[in-house]
Amino acid sequence: MSKKINLVIWNEFRHERNEDTCRAIYPDGIHGLIKQFLSENEDLDITLAALDDPCQGITDELLEKTDVLIWWGHMSHHEVSDELVEKIRQRVYAGMGLIVLHSGHHSKVFKAVVGTNGNLSWGRDQKEIIWNLNPSHPIAEGIPEHFTLELEELYSEPFYIPTPDALVFGGWYEDGFMFRSGVCFNRGLGKVFYFQPGHEYCRSYYNPFVQRIIKNAIYWAKPANIGYTVPEGAPCLTFKVTDEFNK
Amino acid sequence: MSKKINLVIWNEFRHERNEDTCRAIYPDGIHGLIKQFLSENEDLDITLAALDDPCQGITDELLEKTDVLIWWGHMSHHEVSDELVEKIRQRVYAGMGLIVLHSGHHSKVFKAVVGTNGNLSWGRDQKEIIWNLNPSHPIAEGIPEHFTLELEELYSEPFYIPTPDALVFGGWYEDGFMFRSGVCFNRGLGKVFYFQPGHEYCRSYYNPFVQRIIKNAIYWAKPANIGYTVPEGAPCLTFKVTDEFNK
Amino acid sequence: MSKKINLVIWNEFRHERNEDTCRAIYPDGIHGLIKQFLSENEDLDITLAALDDPCQGITDELLEKTDVLIWWGHMSHHEVSDELVEKIRQRVYAGMGLIVLHSGHHSKVFKAVVGTNGNLSWGRDQKEIIWNLNPSHPIAEGIPEHFTLELEELYSEPFYIPTPDALVFGGWYEDGFMFRSGVCFNRGLGKVFYFQPGHEYCRSYYNPFVQRIIKNAIYWAKPANIGYTVPEGAPCLTFKVTDEFNK
Amino acid sequence: MSKKINLVIWNEFRHERNEDTCRAIYPDGIHGLIKQFLSENEDLDITLAALDDPCQGITDELLEKTDVLIWWGHMSHHEVSDELVEKIRQRVYAGMGLIVLHSGHHSKVFKAVVGTNGNLSWGRDQKEIIWNLNPSHPIAEGIPEHFTLELEELYSEPFYIPTPDALVFGGWYEDGFMFRSGVCFNRGLGKVFYFQPGHEYCRSYYNPFVQRIIKNAIYWAKPANIGYTVPEGAPCLTFKVTDEFNK
C-alpha cells in the first residue's frame, strides 16, 4: 500500500511551444501544470512525456512500470505510432489506468482502447457549467453540485462513445449545447476516464475543481490488486475444478 | 404478434379539472391528449384512468391485462393507496411496462418500482432543449439531435436515481441547469422509462417529438415474450439439470 | 479519513438459538462470527443487532450513525417492521452502505431498497464453485480466479433482480445450476452488495475468501465524501447558475 | 419496414474444407448451416463470405450495404487484413450490427470493435448447460430457463471483456467452470453480440435454441432508424441552439 503510484503525464506539447497564446497560459506545457498541481500528492511518482521526446516520450521500460497514464493530444494524433498505441492498449487491458483529456477523444489511444470513433461536434469557446451527475462516485469526491468555467471549447452531443460504465459529469454550454463531460469505461482489467475540459487556449486546468477531478481520477484508475497471476493470452486448462472438492 | 397492446394512461387529473390555466391547455386532461395523439396507432387498446375514478382508476382486472402503464401524478401522490402501488410494482417485476412522466418522479409508484427517493431540484418554467444522447436506442427512433421546448418546468441535477440502464435524453435549461430527461430502468422482467417533460402549465405534450418519444417508449416497454412459464416466488428445485444429458 | 467506519451486523438470529445444528456451527450467531473475523480491522466500530433485540436491533440513533449495514435474515422477513425497512431504505439512498447476505434476497430491506421481488429458485445443499468475474473490482481484491465451497444451499438463475451495476462473482453448482452470486447496485448515494453464500446449515462464513469478500465489500460500500450538502426532498431553486459568470 | 435485412455470414471456412471431422458435421461450412436454418426468415437477404474468397469475402460494396455481419473465425485470425478490420469497425460504429461466434472472441474484428484483448481460458470438449440470465431481453425471446449442449468446447472465466451492456446467457460446464456465454455491447451506433457455442468439432449449431438465439440476435442487432443524418468526423458547429427559440 505504501508503494508509490507511477504516473506518466503525456502531452503533445506543440501548441505551448509554437503559439504565444498557449505558452502564455501554460508556459511549462499542460503536462507541466498538471504535474505542478499534483506536487502535494507525495504518493505520486510523476514522469512527464511529450510527442517530440525520444520514443515519443514512452519507452517500453517506462510503460511497463506505469500505473496511470494521462493523455493530452490534439493536432498530431496521426503522428503517434501505431506500435505505441497498441502497447498502451494492451497495458490498459492488463490493468493500467488511463485518463484521456479534452481533444484526446480523437486520439488513437482513446479510440483503440475504448472501441469508438470518438466523434462529437465542437464549436466556439464559451461559458460552460460542469454538473455533478454522480456525487457518490470516487471521481466526484469533494466536487460541488456544479461549477463554472468562464471559457471552454464547445464539445457537443451526440458523443458517439459506447455506453459509459459510469457517467460522472455533464457539461452545459451557453449556446444551448450539452455534453457528457466526465465518463468512465472498464476495459479489461484497466479503468479509463475521459474528461472534456482542457482547451489549449483556455485556463481550465487552473480551476481547483478540475484539478481535484483529475487527482481523484488518478487514484480511482490505479491498478487493482488482482488476487492471482493473470495469464497471457488464452491458456489451455488441463484440470477439473471439480477435482478440488474433498481434497 | 397481432395481439393488441393494452395501454392504460393514468392521470391524477385534478389540475385540469380545478385550474383554468391547465384546463385551457388540456381540456380532456393530459391523459386525454396522450390518447388523442396515439389514436393512429391501431395496435394500441387504450384505457384512460384517473385518481378519482372508482378503485383509483385501476381495478385488479384491468391491471392484470395491462401491457404498458403510463403514469402522470403530482400533488396527490400521497393519496394513491399503498395496496395499488404494491400491485403495480409486482406487475412491473412480472413484465408490465411502465412509463412515468414529469412530476411522477416523486410518485409512490416510481419510487417503489425503481428503488429511489426520486429527489431532484426544480424551479421556474423556462426554455429547455432536449438532447438525443442515444440516437440508436429504440426510444430515440426518429428523434433529431435536439429539439426545443419553449417553456418547461426546470428539473435539475443531481437527480438521485439509480444508475439508469440506458440514458436516452438530456435536458439543457436556459438558467444554466441540466437534467437526465429520459432514462430507462430494467426492473425484474419489466421495463421502465422516465421522461421529464410535461408540466401541467406547459404545452409539451403537443410537441411532435415528445409525442414520438412517448409512442416509441410504449413499444419498447411492452412485455417480452418469455420462453417459459415464470414461477411465482422462490420455487424449490427437486431435479438435477445434469440428469438431462444423455436422455 | 481516520474516522472509524460504523458497521452494524444485523442477524435474524433465530436458527442459531433454536436449532442445534445451526448453533453448533455458529454458536455466537452468524453475526457473531462475522464480527470475529473482522476483529483485526481496527478501523471498524462494530455493533451487533438481532431481530429480537429492542427496536428489532436498530434504533433511530444507531441507524443515523451507521456507515455500513450487513443484513442476514431468512424465516422471519415478514416480522421486520415496515417502518424500520423504510428508514433503512432512505438511509441507503442518503449514502449508507448495505450488504445483504444469502437468504436476505427475500428480505423486505433488499426488495425495497433495490426495487425487486428478489425471486430465484433454490434446492438441496451441494458443492459450489465461486468464480471471479470481475477481478479488478474492489470487492474482488485478493480473490483467486475461483474457490470452492464444500456445501452451500443451491440458489439458481433466473434471479429476477434488476441489471446489476457490477457483477463480481458467479456460482457454479454441482447439479448443473448457476447463479450471479455477487452483485452490486447503486441506489441513490448508497452502494448495495448482495452475496449469495451463507446458508445457516453450512460453514461458508469460515471460508477465508468469503470472509475477504465481506471485508472488501464493507470498505467498498462505506459512504462517499460528497462535495456538498445534499438537500432533503426536492428543493425549489430560486437562482440562475448563469448569474455566476463574471461575478 | 418492408426493406429486407442484408445479412452477411462470414466464416473462416478452412476447418470444414480441410478436416474430415468438421466437414462431416458441417458439409457446407458453418456459414452454410447458419444460412440454412435462417432460410424460413424471408425478410433476410443472406450473403455467404469466406476468408479465401476474393477480397477475403467482403468487398467495400458488400460491406456498405450490410445490415448485420456474423463472424466465425479461429486459426487464421491473423490473416484477416487490418484494412478490412478497420472498415468493419467503422461500419459498426456507424450502425451495422455484429454477431461474433465462438472462437471469434480472439478475432481482430471483435478485439478492435469492442476494445478488448478477448482473453479467456479454454479446455476439453464437455457438457455445457446454457442458462437464461435475462429472460426479457430480445435475444432471449422464446428461450427456456436453460438448455443443454451435449458437447462444447470449454471456455472459462475470467473472460477479460469490458463490462457488457447486457449479459443474456451463462454457460455451466461439467468440469466446474463457468462463462458469460452471451453478451451484448453497444459500440457507437452499432450493436454487438458475442455468443460462445460453436466449436467446429461440435454440433451446437444444430441445436434449435442456439439457432433461435442467433435469429433473435440478428433482429436485435439490425441498424436503428436514426432520426437525423449522422455527420462524419467531428463537425464544427457555427450556430447557437438558443437562437431556435421564438423563431
Side-chain angles (χ1 to χ4, degrees):
Chain A
M1 284 301 182
S2 61
K3 181 181 163 292
K4 286 199 174 189
I5 296 170
N6 288 305
L7 173 71
V8 174
I9 310 175
W10 190 96
N11 184 8
E12 193 176 285
F13 196 32
R14 287 191 179 159
H15 289 287
E16 306 97 314
R17 286 190 295 138
N18 299 333
E19 298 176 58
D20 289 347
T21 317
C22 302
R23 186 169 48 240
I25 303 174
Y26 296 114
D28 300 317
I30 284 172
H31 55 336
L33 184 77
I34 294 175
K35 179 176 178 177
Q36 187 183 316
F37 71 66
L38 294 171
S39 61
E40 293 172 11
N41 293 61
E42 296 181 357
D43 53 352
L44 301 181
D45 194 323
I46 302 177
T47 302
L48 296 185
L51 178 59
D52 293 319
D53 289 350
C55 300
Q56 302 195 323
I58 302 187
T59 63
D60 288 2
E61 192 186 10
L62 177 62
L63 185 60
E64 191 54 40
K65 70 172 189 179
T66 302
D67 294 310
V68 179
L69 174 63
I70 293 180
W71 194 270
W72 196 103
H74 182 215
M75 297 303 293
S76 309
H77 291 324
H78 60 287
E79 292 187 36
V80 178
S81 86
D82 290 339
E83 291 71 23
L84 178 57
V85 170
E86 181 59 20
K87 285 174 187 171
I88 290 170
R89 183 174 172 249
Q90 295 303 330
R91 278 283 296 145
V92 172
Y93 298 160
M96 184 180 75
L98 176 67
I99 298 169
V100 176
L101 298 175
H102 189 61
S103 40
H105 71 92
H106 256 181
S107 65
K108 289 182 179 178
V109 165
F110 182 67
K111 294 190 293 185
V113 167
V114 165
T116 180
N117 60 23
N119 286 348
L120 48 76
S121 298
W122 63 281
R124 73 176 186 99
D125 297 351
Q126 59 192 273
K127 293 169 184 176
E128 179 180 7
I129 301 165
I130 302 282
W131 280 92
N132 186 348
L133 305 179
N134 204 335
S136 60
H137 192 281
I139 299 183
E141 187 172 296
I143 303 300
E145 287 170 288
H146 70 267
F147 62 92
T148 58
L149 297 173
E150 282 296 317
L151 209 64
E152 246 306 335
E153 188 175 26
L154 167 64
Y155 274 18
S156 175
E157 295 285 344
F159 187 17
Y160 294 91
I161 45 172
T163 310
D165 291 289
L167 169 61
V168 190
F169 302 107
W172 176 103
Y173 286 95
E174 186 182 358
D175 285 352
F177 301 89
M178 68 186 294
F179 196 66
R180 287 168 290 171
S181 292
V183 285
C184 300
F185 301 96
N186 304 327
R187 286 298 177 270
L189 297 169
K191 295 189 182 77
V192 181
F193 179 60
Y194 171 78
F195 190 43
Q196 162 267 319
H199 192 40
E200 64 272 13
Y201 299 102
C202 302
R203 302 180 56 83
S204 295
Y205 293 127
Y206 288 93
N207 181 289
F209 296 123
V210 168
Q211 295 181 357
R212 178 68 188 268
I213 288 167
I214 292 174
K215 281 185 201 179
N216 288 345
I218 293 166
Y219 291 94
W220 169 81
K222 73 172 199 287
N225 296 314
I226 309 294
Y228 60 94
T229 303
V230 177
E232 304 263 330
C236 180
L237 302 166
T238 56
F239 63 96
K240 302 179 181 187
V241 185
T242 47
D243 286 341
E244 293 179 25
F245 291 116
N246 303 314
K247 268 191 192 169
Chain B
M1 282 301 180
S2 62
K3 181 182 161 292
K4 286 201 175 188
I5 296 170
N6 288 305
L7 172 70
V8 174
I9 311 176
W10 190 95
N11 185 8
E12 192 175 287
F13 197 32
R14 288 193 179 158
H15 289 288
E16 307 96 315
R17 287 190 294 139
N18 299 334
E19 298 175 57
D20 290 346
T21 317
C22 302
R23 186 168 49 240
I25 304 174
Y26 297 114
D28 299 318
I30 284 173
H31 55 335
L33 184 76
I34 294 175
K35 179 176 179 178
Q36 187 183 317
F37 70 66
L38 293 172
S39 61
E40 294 172 12
N41 293 61
E42 296 180 358
D43 53 352
L44 300 182
D45 195 326
I46 303 178
T47 303
L48 296 184
L51 177 59
D52 293 320
D53 289 350
C55 301
Q56 303 196 321
I58 302 187
T59 63
D60 288 1
E61 192 186 12
L62 177 63
L63 185 61
E64 191 54 39
K65 69 172 189 178
T66 301
D67 293 310
V68 179
L69 173 64
I70 293 180
W71 193 270
W72 197 104
H74 182 215
M75 296 304 292
S76 309
H77 292 323
H78 61 287
E79 291 187 38
V80 177
S81 86
D82 291 337
E83 290 70 24
L84 178 57
V85 171
E86 181 59 19
K87 285 175 188 171
I88 290 171
R89 181 173 173 250
Q90 296 303 330
R91 278 284 296 146
V92 173
Y93 299 159
M96 184 181 75
L98 175 68
I99 298 170
V100 176
L101 297 174
H102 189 61
S103 41
H105 71 92
H106 256 181
S107 65
K108 287 182 180 179
V109 165
F110 182 67
K111 294 189 292 184
V113 167
V114 166
T116 180
N117 60 25
N119 287 346
L120 48 75
S121 298
W122 63 281
R124 73 177 186 99
D125 297 352
Q126 60 192 272
K127 293 169 183 175
E128 179 180 7
I129 301 165
I130 301 280
W131 280 92
N132 185 347
L133 305 179
N134 204 335
S136 60
H137 192 281
I139 299 182
E141 188 171 294
I143 303 300
E145 288 170 287
H146 69 267
F147 62 93
T148 57
L149 298 174
E150 283 297 315
L151 209 63
E152 246 306 334
E153 187 175 27
L154 168 63
Y155 274 18
S156 175
E157 296 283 345
F159 187 17
Y160 295 91
I161 46 173
T163 309
D165 290 290
L167 169 62
V168 190
F169 301 108
W172 175 104
Y173 286 96
E174 186 182 358
D175 286 352
F177 301 90
M178 69 187 293
F179 196 66
R180 287 169 289 171
S181 292
V183 287
C184 300
F185 302 95
N186 304 325
R187 286 297 178 271
L189 296 169
K191 295 189 182 74
V192 181
F193 180 60
Y194 171 79
F195 191 41
Q196 162 266 320
H199 192 41
E200 64 273 14
Y201 298 103
C202 302
R203 300 180 56 83
S204 295
Y205 294 125
Y206 288 93
N207 181 289
F209 297 121
V210 167
Q211 295 181 358
R212 178 71 188 265
I213 288 167
I214 292 173
K215 281 185 201 179
N216 288 345
I218 293 165
Y219 292 93
W220 169 83
K222 74 173 199 284
N225 295 315
I226 309 294
Y228 59 93
T229 303
V230 177
E232 304 262 330
C236 181
L237 302 167
T238 55
F239 62 97
K240 301 180 181 187
V241 186
T242 48
D243 286 341
E244 293 179 25
F245 292 115
N246 303 313
K247 268 191 194 170
Chain C
M1 282 301 183
S2 63
K3 181 181 161 292
K4 286 199 174 190
I5 296 170
N6 288 306
L7 172 70
V8 173
I9 311 175
W10 190 95
N11 185 8
E12 191 174 288
F13 197 32
R14 287 191 179 159
H15 288 288
E16 306 97 314
R17 286 189 295 139
N18 298 335
E19 299 176 56
D20 289 347
T21 317
C22 303
R23 186 168 49 240
I25 303 174
Y26 297 114
D28 299 318
I30 284 173
H31 55 336
L33 185 77
I34 293 175
K35 178 177 181 178
Q36 188 183 316
F37 72 65
L38 293 171
S39 61
E40 293 172 12
N41 292 61
E42 296 181 357
D43 53 351
L44 301 181
D45 194 325
I46 303 178
T47 304
L48 296 184
L51 178 59
D52 294 319
D53 289 350
C55 300
Q56 301 196 322
I58 302 187
T59 62
D60 288 0
E61 191 187 11
L62 177 63
L63 185 60
E64 191 54 40
K65 69 173 190 179
T66 301
D67 293 309
V68 180
L69 172 65
I70 294 180
W71 194 270
W72 196 104
H74 183 214
M75 298 302 294
S76 310
H77 292 323
H78 60 287
E79 292 187 37
V80 177
S81 85
D82 290 337
E83 289 72 21
L84 179 57
V85 170
E86 182 59 19
K87 285 175 188 171
I88 290 170
R89 182 174 173 252
Q90 296 303 331
R91 277 283 296 147
V92 173
Y93 299 161
M96 184 180 76
L98 175 67
I99 298 169
V100 175
L101 297 175
H102 190 60
S103 41
H105 71 92
H106 256 180
S107 64
K108 288 181 179 178
V109 164
F110 182 67
K111 294 190 293 184
V113 167
V114 165
T116 180
N117 59 23
N119 286 349
L120 48 76
S121 297
W122 63 280
R124 75 177 185 97
D125 297 350
Q126 59 192 276
K127 293 169 184 176
E128 180 180 7
I129 302 166
I130 302 280
W131 280 93
N132 185 348
L133 304 180
N134 204 334
S136 60
H137 192 281
I139 299 182
E141 188 171 294
I143 302 301
E145 287 169 288
H146 69 267
F147 62 92
T148 57
L149 298 173
E150 282 298 315
L151 209 64
E152 245 307 334
E153 188 175 25
L154 168 63
Y155 275 17
S156 176
E157 295 284 342
F159 186 16
Y160 295 91
I161 46 173
T163 309
D165 291 289
L167 169 62
V168 190
F169 301 108
W172 176 105
Y173 287 95
E174 186 182 359
D175 286 353
F177 301 89
M178 68 188 293
F179 196 66
R180 286 169 289 171
S181 292
V183 286
C184 300
F185 302 95
N186 303 327
R187 286 298 178 269
L189 296 169
K191 295 190 181 74
V192 181
F193 180 61
Y194 171 79
F195 191 43
Q196 161 267 320
H199 192 41
E200 64 273 14
Y201 297 103
C202 302
R203 300 180 56 82
S204 294
Y205 293 125
Y206 288 93
N207 181 289
F209 296 122
V210 168
Q211 295 182 356
R212 178 68 188 266
I213 288 166
I214 293 173
K215 281 185 202 180
N216 288 345
I218 293 165
Y219 291 94
W220 169 82
K222 74 173 199 284
N225 294 316
I226 309 294
Y228 60 93
T229 303
V230 177
E232 304 262 329
C236 180
L237 301 167
T238 54
F239 63 97
K240 302 181 182 187
V241 186
T242 47
D243 286 341
E244 294 180 24
F245 291 116
N246 302 313
K247 268 190 194 172
Chain D
M1 282 299 183
S2 62
K3 182 182 160 291
K4 285 200 174 190
I5 296 170
N6 287 306
L7 173 70
V8 174
I9 312 176
W10 190 95
N11 184 9
E12 191 176 287
F13 196 32
R14 287 192 179 159
H15 288 289
E16 305 96 315
R17 287 188 294 139
N18 300 333
E19 298 176 58
D20 288 349
T21 317
C22 302
R23 187 170 47 241
I25 303 174
Y26 297 114
D28 299 317
I30 285 173
H31 56 334
L33 185 77
I34 293 175
K35 179 176 179 177
Q36 188 184 314
F37 71 66
L38 293 171
S39 61
E40 293 172 12
N41 293 62
E42 297 179 358
D43 53 351
L44 301 182
D45 194 325
I46 303 178
T47 303
L48 297 184
L51 178 59
D52 294 320
D53 289 350
C55 301
Q56 301 196 322
I58 301 187
T59 62
D60 288 1
E61 193 187 8
L62 178 62
L63 185 60
E64 192 53 39
K65 69 172 190 180
T66 302
D67 292 312
V68 179
L69 173 64
I70 295 182
W71 195 270
W72 195 104
H74 181 215
M75 297 302 293
S76 309
H77 292 322
H78 60 287
E79 291 187 38
V80 178
S81 86
D82 290 338
E83 289 70 24
L84 179 57
V85 171
E86 181 59 18
K87 285 175 188 169
I88 291 171
R89 181 174 174 251
Q90 295 305 329
R91 278 284 295 147
V92 173
Y93 299 159
M96 183 181 75
L98 176 67
I99 298 170
V100 176
L101 298 174
H102 191 60
S103 40
H105 70 91
H106 256 181
S107 65
K108 286 181 181 180
V109 165
F110 182 68
K111 293 190 293 186
V113 167
V114 166
T116 179
N117 60 23
N119 287 346
L120 49 73
S121 298
W122 63 281
R124 74 177 186 99
D125 297 351
Q126 59 192 275
K127 292 169 184 175
E128 179 180 6
I129 302 165
I130 302 280
W131 279 92
N132 186 347
L133 304 180
N134 204 335
S136 60
H137 193 281
I139 299 183
E141 187 172 296
I143 304 299
E145 288 169 287
H146 69 267
F147 61 93
T148 58
L149 298 173
E150 282 298 316
L151 208 64
E152 245 308 333
E153 187 175 28
L154 168 63
Y155 274 17
S156 175
E157 296 284 343
F159 186 16
Y160 294 91
I161 46 172
T163 310
D165 290 289
L167 169 62
V168 189
F169 301 108
W172 175 104
Y173 287 96
E174 186 182 358
D175 287 352
F177 300 89
M178 69 186 295
F179 196 65
R180 285 168 291 171
S181 291
V183 285
C184 300
F185 302 95
N186 303 327
R187 286 299 178 270
L189 296 168
K191 295 191 181 75
V192 181
F193 180 59
Y194 171 80
F195 191 42
Q196 160 268 319
H199 192 40
E200 64 273 13
Y201 297 103
C202 302
R203 301 179 56 82
S204 295
Y205 294 125
Y206 288 93
N207 181 290
F209 297 122
V210 168
Q211 295 181 357
R212 176 71 188 265
I213 288 167
I214 292 172
K215 280 185 203 179
N216 288 344
I218 293 165
Y219 292 94
W220 169 82
K222 75 171 198 286
N225 295 316
I226 309 294
Y228 60 93
T229 303
V230 177
E232 303 263 328
C236 180
L237 302 167
T238 55
F239 62 97
K240 300 181 181 186
V241 186
T242 47
D243 286 341
E244 293 179 25
F245 290 116
N246 301 314
K247 269 189 194 173

